[in-house]
Amino acid sequence: MRFDVVTLFPDFVRQCAAVGVVGRAQQRELLQVETWNPRDYATDNYRTVDGRTCGGGPGMVMLIDPLRAALKAMREAAAEPVHVIYLSPQGARLTQGRVEALAKLPRIGLLCGRYEGVDERLLAHEVDEELSIGDYVLSGGELGAAVIIDAVGRLQEGALNDAQSAQQDSFSDGLLDCPHYAKPVRHALGDVPEVLLSGDHAAIRRWRLKQALGRTWLRRPDLLVQRALDKESRALLEEFRREYAQ
Ligand SMILES: CC(C)(C)c1cccc(C(=O)NCC2(NC(=O)c3cccc4nocc34)CCCC2)c1
């Protein structure tokens, strides 16, 4: 997988991709993150990348030509076709399902807006998809790009070790996570639940599933709606709800 990020802040994006699972995947050449700064493609003496918004009013808009030149250089830098995503509040909300689909592509271009955004004509001609990481005001699209690089990058074959893959599987079965504990077993803040110390792996699996189901029901019932529950899960959730109601 190759990510090409068009951004006015390349260092920020590179730093995000340099640490942890994604950083290691880059070192092992399981994925590549390249950055393209529109300012390097601005042709005037002041390296202008923004312009006053037409129609008046506050704020600036990213100009077409520096972005277009950066995108052209990006497309020419590698053979595979690029799926270009504009990170935007107007985009479809990013989901794990979309992440898993994106992880199958050979190349992804990530266009990051700044100021008030990007000239609409550039978006109409150069962008395949708009995605949003959430409903809040941000200063730029770079955090969205970093989210996609992390979520998609960690799914690349070989990026995760067996333990991490197992964890990823449990995370992405669509439920919230069960509670986690480490040593010490006894602590002023409370004790680790006995079942986790029992060595009874079937009981531990059931307890974790029940906790994940119960917490999802309590905190994110919307996630439960999307997920068909098998017989065991329905029974465990019922048990949780009975205990919770008492
Ligand atoms: C969502 C809502 C609060 C209603 C709203 C309405 C109008 C504008 C903005 C806003 O934040 N505009 C500023 C910019 N925002 C983002 O790029 C951005 C924001 C959010 C999620 C994202 N996912 O990717 C990129 C994202 C756009 C140009 C520079 C940054 C936010």
Side-chain angles (χ1 to χ4, degrees):
M1 164 68 78
R2 173 176 166 139
F3 295 98
D4 289 277
V5 189
V6 177
T7 171
L8 291 171
F9 297 98
D11 291 346
F12 174 80
V13 173
R14 277 201 293 271
Q15 281 304 313
C16 288
V19 301
V21 167
V22 174
R24 258 196 319 283
Q26 281 199 83
Q27 284 166 352
R28 293 162 56 204
E29 298 185 346
L30 300 173
L31 63 92
Q32 206 181 340
V33 177
E34 302 299 338
T35 56
W36 305 83
N37 189 339
R39 204 170 290 284
D40 296 338
Y41 298 88
T43 51
D44 65 311
N45 296 343
Y46 302 97
R47 303 181 64 198
T48 309
V49 293
D50 62 327
R52 303 190 65 73
T53 186
C54 294
M60 305 294 276
V61 174
M62 293 182 83
L63 298 174
I64 294 173
D65 286 334
L67 286 172
R68 196 164 178 223
L71 284 161
K72 182 171 184 289
M74 174 191 91
R75 293 181 195 279
E76 288 167 358
E80 301 97 340
V82 196
H83 179 74
V84 179
I85 298 169
Y86 175 49
L87 284 307
S88 156
Q90 282 78 29
R93 178 65 73 83
L94 182 67
T95 62
Q96 188 62 24
R98 188 67 194 129
V99 164
E100 287 165 4
L102 292 173
K104 298 183 171 69
L105 298 174
R107 265 187 97 188
I108 292 177
L110 297 169
L111 174 60
C112 304
R114 281 276 159 173
Y115 313 108
E116 300 306 303
V118 172
D119 189 300
E120 194 65 20
R121 292 164 291 178
L122 187 283
L123 300 180
H125 284 88
E126 295 274 1
V127 165
D128 300 307
E129 176 177 17
E130 291 193 27
L131 288 176
S132 169
I133 60 167
D135 293 338
Y136 19 77
V137 179
L138 295 176
S139 308
E142 283 78 10
L143 285 168
V147 162
I148 288 191
I149 290 169
D150 187 85
V152 172
R154 58 183 289 115
L155 292 184
Q156 295 309 299
E157 194 58 44
L160 300 178
N161 63 35
D162 292 347
Q164 291 166 320
S165 297
Q167 180 190 69
Q168 169 74 27
D169 292 346
S170 75
F171 285 164
S172 62
D173 72 2
L175 296 176
L176 298 184
D177 218 2
C178 64
H180 299 296
Y181 302 87
K183 293 192 295 284
V185 167
R186 307 275 173 241
H187 191 281
L189 296 184
D191 299 342
V192 172
E194 284 305 322
V195 65
L196 298 179
L197 312 170
S198 68
D200 177 345
H201 297 294
I204 290 168
R205 188 193 70 80
R206 271 200 314 280
W207 181 88
R208 285 174 171 163
L209 179 54
K210 179 176 168 182
Q211 290 298 316
L213 287 159
R215 281 151 64 110
T216 308
W217 168 65
L218 286 172
R219 304 184 192 189
R220 289 293 307 279
D222 58 299
L223 292 178
L224 263 192
V225 165
Q226 292 164 15
R227 191 181 185 287
L229 296 183
D230 62 24
K231 194 164 172 297
E232 179 190 38
S233 296
R234 282 199 302 276
L236 286 171
L237 180 52
E238 264 320 297
E239 209 176 290
F240 184 97
R241 288 163 65 156
R242 268 201 306 276
E243 289 159 13
Y244 185 78
Q246 278 156 5

